[in-house]
Amino acid sequence: MKNIDWKNLVFGYVKTDYNIRCYFKDGKWGSLEVSTSEMIDLHMAATCLHYGQEAFEGMKAYRGKDNKVRLFRWEENWRRLENSANGVLMQPVPKEIFEEACRKAVELNQEYIPPYGTGGSLYLRPLLIGSGPKVGVSPADEYLFLVFVTPVGPYFKEGFKPVKMQVIRDYDRAAPLGTGSIKVGGNYAASLRAGQRAHQEGYATAIFADAKTKQYIDEAGPANFFGIKDGKYITPDSESILPSITNMSLRELAADMGLVVERRHVALDELATFEEAGACGTAAVISPIGMIQDRDTGKVYEYSKDGNAGPWCQKLYARLTGIQYGEVEDTFGWCTVLF
């Protein structure tokens, strides 16, 4: 085990020993390669640099209560990467290459997996880029797929404590029928100015209104939004929202725990009616929302009076992380035990 301050990990990059690479050339994928370098040798005319041909995933491996290491729902990440690749005309990564690369990356860097009880996990970043040179606007002929890992703590510095968020309408993360539903870097680049301003004004992140009407909730910064009211788990449905695997899991858990699940358009006016609210994603898991301020109207919506997460956020978080850390039975078959 590496000499790392496990309990004070932030969500950031920590150098590990190995990463895994695979190249698509001459019409076929090659063999996996193990690398110790943090650098990529890339042609200056690579399509990822000029035309945005790149996509990535975020996933986690957990050291459980029984000391076994579990990878959470990796097949869903593979499916989403395939969808992203198709969305920007890249060569999709075969399932067996994706799985083997993720397994190898975890196994070779297992000394960086945070110990059980520290609240940390090993974050995996599968990345697919157009590495072949093109000057005209067209898909590359060559691609690089790689997986690197890093030990992480909570995405928001507050951890599992309510955060403040801000509704905005003067920036758009993604256009209708654009790339909002696939995990490509351009969506995140488009969110940076809004996110930075939200931080400067004292908020964890910005909640984007839908780009077309400005009447509905889209993404909550780098995560999906959900609200709880009247025994219902309600989350936005939009062609511009990334299909979060965490949100997918929470919807299944919510239904299993007796909540009615609704995936639909969620009007900004409905914020006043929620009993609890949260943001969810691989990085954040669940970030309970304590307060939302509408930047345009000045309206403030409070969801935590005592500084703690609401009861349903707590139950959902405990059940999901319990499965990930092997504390409760994985009745859904979500986790793959690696070793």
Side-chain angles (χ1 to χ4, degrees):
M1 192 71 70
K2 295 292 181 179
N3 185 24
I4 294 174
D5 184 3
W6 300 109
K7 289 191 175 180
N8 291 304
L9 275 175
V10 296
F11 193 89
Y13 178 76
V14 174
K15 184 183 184 301
T16 53
D17 295 336
Y18 303 99
N19 58 83
I20 312 300
R21 306 177 183 203
C22 189
Y23 292 88
F24 180 88
K25 293 181 180 179
D26 300 321
K28 62 182 185 298
W29 285 99
S31 301
L32 293 184
E33 302 173 11
V34 177
S35 176
T36 58
S37 173
E38 296 172 279
M39 302 297 143
I40 298 171
D41 186 15
L42 198 59
H43 196 288
M44 62 185 177
T47 61
C48 64
L49 301 177
H50 298 269
Y51 304 126
Q53 268 202 306
E54 73 85 45
F56 66 96
E57 277 300 315
M59 47 200 296
K60 287 180 178 178
Y62 302 82
R63 192 179 297 280
K65 188 176 183 180
D66 53 6
N67 208 38
K68 293 179 180 177
V69 174
R70 292 168 172 82
L71 191 58
F72 185 71
R73 301 199 79 170
W74 68 266
E75 288 179 282
E76 295 299 335
N77 291 97
W78 166 72
R79 289 189 182 97
R80 193 168 64 180
L81 183 64
E82 182 177 53
N83 192 46
S84 297
N86 290 330
V88 290
L89 290 181
M90 292 193 292
Q91 183 66 36
V93 179
K95 185 177 181 180
E96 60 274 14
I97 289 178
F98 184 93
E99 179 184 10
E100 188 180 353
C102 290
R103 283 179 177 271
K104 267 190 185 299
V106 176
E107 289 167 3
L108 291 175
N109 293 290
Q110 59 185 279
E111 291 188 350
Y112 292 92
I113 304 172
Y116 172 74
T118 61
S121 56
L122 188 71
Y123 183 79
L124 286 74
R125 172 57 61 85
L127 174 68
L128 177 63
I129 63 173
S131 54
K134 291 282 183 177
V135 175
V137 182
S138 60
D141 298 317
E142 298 179 359
Y143 295 89
L144 166 61
F145 171 62
L146 69 85
V147 180
F148 70 83
V149 301
T150 186
V152 297
Y155 186 82
F156 294 115
K157 66 180 186 299
E158 294 87 351
F160 188 65
K161 284 287 184 182
V163 298
K164 297 192 298 180
M165 295 191 180
Q166 183 184 61
V167 170
I168 63 157
R169 296 175 183 80
D170 56 341
Y171 290 109
D172 292 324
R173 170 186 164 272
L177 307 181
T179 61
S181 63
I182 58 177
K183 199 169 176 68
V184 293
N187 298 334
Y188 295 84
S191 74
L192 290 175
R193 287 178 64 87
Q196 184 180 56
R197 186 182 67 186
H199 290 165
Q200 291 169 347
E201 296 182 357
Y203 298 90
T205 193
I207 297 176
F208 292 89
D210 76 286
K212 188 174 182 179
T213 72
K214 304 294 184 182
Q215 295 178 19
Y216 301 100
I217 298 171
D218 250 25
E219 287 278 52
N224 280 188
F225 174 89
F226 69 88
I228 306 285
K229 68 172 180 178
D230 304 326
K232 297 176 181 178
Y233 177 100
I234 302 167
T235 192
D237 187 19
S238 163
E239 293 174 329
S240 301
I241 292 176
L242 184 73
S244 162
I245 294 163
T246 303
N247 195 351
M248 181 193 307
S249 306
L250 289 173
R251 293 197 300 271
E252 293 183 58
L253 289 177
D256 190 61
M257 295 163 71
L259 290 172
V260 174
V261 174
E262 293 183 357
R263 192 179 179 200
R264 57 172 173 78
H265 290 311
V266 180
L268 288 166
D269 291 344
E270 199 172 346
L271 286 171
T273 68
F274 288 120
E275 299 153 17
E276 300 179 43
C280 59
T282 296
V285 187
I286 291 177
S287 286
I289 300 174
M291 181 269 272
I292 295 174
Q293 186 236 18
D294 189 315
R295 195 173 189 274
D296 286 357
T297 67
K299 290 180 181 177
V300 173
Y301 308 99
E302 298 274 359
Y303 304 106
S304 174
K305 292 183 172 59
D306 60 0
N308 294 313
W312 276 111
C313 281
Q314 291 185 38
K315 289 174 190 174
L316 288 165
Y317 180 82
R319 180 87 181 275
L320 181 58
T321 57
I323 290 171
Q324 292 167 335
Y325 285 106
E327 297 165 342
V328 300
E329 185 181 358
D330 177 15
T331 56
F332 298 92
W334 288 340
C335 293
T336 299
V337 176
L338 299 182
F339 50 86

